[in-house]
Amino acid sequence: MNRPHHFNLLARVLHWAMAIAILSMLFVGAGMVVSLQYRDQLLALHRPLGIAILLLAIVRLVNRLTRPIPALPADLPAIQKFAAHASHWLLYGLMLAMPLIGWAMLSAGGYPIPMVGGVHLPAILPHSPVIYGWLRPLHGVLAYVLFFTILGHFGAALFHAWVRRDEVFGQMAKGEPK
Amino acid sequence: MPTPTSRGSMLLLLPIAVILALIAALFAWVGGWIGHRGLTPQQMMDLAQASGKQQPGFRRAHSKGICFAGTFAPTAEAAKLSTARAFSQRSIPVIGRFSASSNNPYAPDGASPVRGMAVQIKTDDGQEWRIAMNSFPFFAASTPQGFQQMNEAGVPDPATGKPDPNKMKALLVAHPEIAAFMAWAKTAPKSDSLGSTRFNGVNAFRLTDAHGVERMVRWSMRPRTPVVAMTPEQLKTADVNFLAADLDKRLAAGPLVWDMVVQIAAPGDPITDPSKAWPENRQEATIATLTVVHAEPQANGPCRDLNFDPLILPTGIAASDDPVLHARSAAYSVSFNRREREISQGKTAQPNVQNGSAR
């Protein structure tokens, strides 16, 4: 199979844009729930940014599944290969699940779901204290799982770049040479 | 295959670990796990549920309540003040909730110093407005920190069974505005009916009209039912749930109506301090009538699982910078999360259909 040496441009743009968006989201989310003064403003940012991430994650997943991707180094130990694949699919799962759980949770809580400019999303679940009571803590717990997965992903990227000095970091950081 | 380049030293794992630890520490600080962040809504609700007779599955304050249904009808005057659809849609079905201020859902109505009214208004443009008002004419404290300190001072000292008078003295020095509220709570006459109770949204909001003109307002629901004040003796001997019984009796005879009036701030009025009433002679406008036609116990009522967050606002109405308003939104959210969690785990004292007092 003829595999590229780098992720395609769309994958790279989405990766770095979503890295900023998702990290911002995690910090906004963690901060807003303990804020007395800024919860509403942060929430007003959190909702549309979450839906934007959901839409971008769908585009990214389609691109990932339909386009060829570069291979991991042949000499990478099996355990590290497994960790790479598992963490990548966990990241995909969480970047899709978190906005959906947030949307579902607000629906079950009987909350309106305003975006920007008076546009509202419809409820995707019935108003139910039982469902809300499970989804709300799940959203919080998975946010921490996502944060630590990203931290591990970033640590692994730096390990590839600085210690192994292999091609992995460049696959996402650079395009094909002209 | 690219040929492997020379590997870096394993000592480089150290800066990687430091970078990851710094990001994790920043996240922990933002999330309130480390460092001093000042008062949080979690701390406010911890104190609320540790005092009084908190029951699982109920609100952390204003636990006792009655759901109601009715209509909200704006006046012609309203549309001149705000582009919010609630100010132009002819008649809007609403649900709401009357409440008593204690966190004990079985507290006697006569003992409640404060009554509350909350309303949910969903308009035909898909927008929503939630209003939370109280029977006090101004809030107890200027800031959430002052309110928290007041509640801390009110916690009985385990040694004496009574609040520590020194804490109360320190409170009034730090937050002198609270004295006015205490005087109100002691002396304000209490009416014999929720239908004749005036409810005030003590926080300021910004209305924006079609020309983009902004006005800071405070709203209140003024009852058309005449006030009949109860004596302290009557309050003491009244039935535990006399307000619910009265409401049922009055609604059986006909609807109860409130006029919603906004007071419009003049330059210099304290917009961000809910403990300071604006002068009586400020310009006012009657913007709507609220007609309540039906009441039911909250145990199975539609108001139970709604968070009447006062910052759920439609386009045309915006929050002021009043810190108490923002803290109410944050604290109600924590209260809602906790009680819905209890309900989902089956740990709730609700619904309690056998005991009619859990209204």
Side-chain angles (χ1 to χ4, degrees), chain A residues 7-23 52-67 69 87-89 91-96 146 150 153 172:
Chain A
F7 284 93
N8 66 27
L9 180 65
L10 179 61
R12 296 197 310 274
V13 168
L14 284 174
H15 172 272
W16 293 104
M18 289 182 73
I20 296 167
I22 292 173
L23 265 184
I53 289 172
L54 175 63
L55 297 175
L56 291 177
I58 293 168
V59 174
R60 192 168 166 194
L61 182 67
V62 170
N63 182 59
R64 173 70 180 73
L65 292 173
T66 58
R67 303 295 298 276
I69 58 159
S87 63
H88 291 162
W89 289 114
L91 287 169
Y92 270 102
L94 288 172
M95 73 178 95
L96 288 161
L146 177 54
I150 289 173
H153 175 78
M172 190 52 93

Side-chain angles (χ1 to χ4, degrees), chain A residues 69-80:
Chain A
I69 58 159
L72 286 170
D75 64 339
L76 195 68
I79 179 79
Q80 288 182 37

Side-chain angles (χ1 to χ4, degrees), chain B residues 63-104:
Chain B
S63 305
K64 187 177 187 177
I66 304 166
C67 296
F68 67 75
T71 53
F72 180 92
T75 63
E77 204 60 23
K80 295 178 193 160
L81 293 173
S82 167
T83 55
R85 180 63 179 142
F87 288 13
S88 59
Q89 187 178 336
R90 183 192 290 260
S91 175
I92 308 159
V94 298
I95 61 170
R97 184 173 182 269
F98 292 112
S99 62
S101 54
S102 156
N103 70 350
N104 174 9

Side-chain angles (χ1 to χ4, degrees), chain A residues 26-27 30-31 33-37 39-41 74-75 109-112 118 120 127 129-130 132-134 136-137 144 147 151 154-155 158-159 162-167, chain B residues 5-8 10 12-13 16 19-20 27 30-31 33 39-42 44 126-128 130 304-305 307 309 311-312 321 323 326-327 329-330 333 336-337 340-341 344:
Chain A
L26 287 165
F27 277 90
V33 296
V34 292
S35 172
L36 264 191
Q37 181 70 20
R39 179 181 176 276
D40 59 307
Q41 285 107 315
D75 64 339
Y111 284 111
H120 282 62
H127 183 186
V130 174
Y132 181 84
W134 286 104
R136 174 60 190 83
Y144 279 90
F147 176 77
L151 216 53
F154 184 49
L158 291 179
F159 177 72
W162 293 350
V163 179
R164 277 187 58 89
R165 296 188 181 168
D166 59 19
E167 64 273 28
Chain B
T5 49
S6 61
R7 298 277 189 251
M10 289 303 266
L12 286 165
L13 287 175
I16 294 176
I19 290 168
L20 297 186
F27 192 61
V30 169
W33 299 98
L39 186 61
T40 65
Q42 285 76 15
M44 296 189 82
Q127 296 214 35
E128 192 164 334
R130 295 188 190 177
R304 190 193 72 174
D305 296 308
N307 171 7
D309 175 348
L311 294 184
I312 293 179
D321 290 334
H326 292 267
S329 174
S333 166
F336 183 71
N337 290 349
E340 301 297 271
R341 181 74 189 137
S344 73

Side-chain angles (χ1 to χ4, degrees), chain B residues 155-162:
Chain B
V155 174
D157 185 333
T160 61
K162 283 182 182 163

